[in-house]
Amino acid sequence: LATEILTSAGTELAHIAQIVLRRLWASRSSAEVAIAGGGFANSARVCQIFGNVIRTDRPEVHVRLSEHQAFEGALYLAQQALAANAVH
């Protein structure tokens, strides 16, 4: 059951990423996808399935585990929003 859940998680996350890839990199040029968060960091299965699904559709895309923690991105976005509001 756990394997099924992890496989499903990797597949569903990859399908969401595929939508983003199609919209932002429609030319099918080389791109890099950095994955972050506990699901990826703690499950090789989720990472493997995610990468396999992405490369099935987009073999030119490189998938890697981010060097940064997911919360760092959230903090960065919050800082940018505060800075933008401070200017106005």
Side-chain angles (χ1 to χ4, degrees), residues 38-76:
F40 291 113
N42 296 306
S43 176
R45 178 91 179 148
V46 173
C47 290
Q48 177 187 20
I49 296 298
F50 181 91
N52 289 347
V53 171
I54 294 294
R55 284 187 296 276
T56 297
D57 183 48
R58 302 283 297 262
E60 73 281 4
V61 172
H62 176 71
V63 178
R64 68 173 179 84
L65 189 60
S66 177
E67 298 170 8
H68 302 284
Q69 298 294 320
F71 74 86
E72 292 177 90
L75 286 175
Y76 174 78

